[in-house]
Amino acid sequence: LAPRTIVTQGADGARIVTGEGERLLPAVPGPVVDVNGAGDGLAGGTLAALARGLDLDSAVAVGLKVAARAVAVASAVDSTLRREDVAP
């Protein structure tokens, strides 16, 4: 594994694996209409948050918020969010 790895766990959230160990961040509760785009939302939200300088756990939490929004609508296109929608 890479020095920092994020493993999606579906409805359970995301597992963060680092040299210090691993931990599970829970999924954001909400309706599930269409799972298309969930992984893209998690990855994109996490990477955008890391680029803004957030620590890994906070960035993954943002990614989980984006993923929750992606699955709550019938099309991932309709799940577009602004930064303030997912701010930690």
Side-chain angles (χ1 to χ4, degrees), residues 47-79:
L47 291 171
L50 286 170
R52 289 195 337 256
L54 273 66
D55 63 85
L56 183 59
D57 284 31
S58 297
V60 172
V62 168
L64 288 166
K65 288 181 185 179
V66 175
R69 173 65 178 148
V71 302
V73 295
S75 169
V77 172
D78 294 332
S79 65

Side-chain angles (χ1 to χ4, degrees), residues 2-25:
R4 299 186 301 175
T5 303
I6 302 163
V7 182
T8 61
Q9 302 286 285
D12 291 330
R15 184 168 306 282
I16 299 172
V17 182
T18 68
E20 291 81 40
E22 61 182 72
R23 56 206 172 275
L24 178 69
L25 272 63

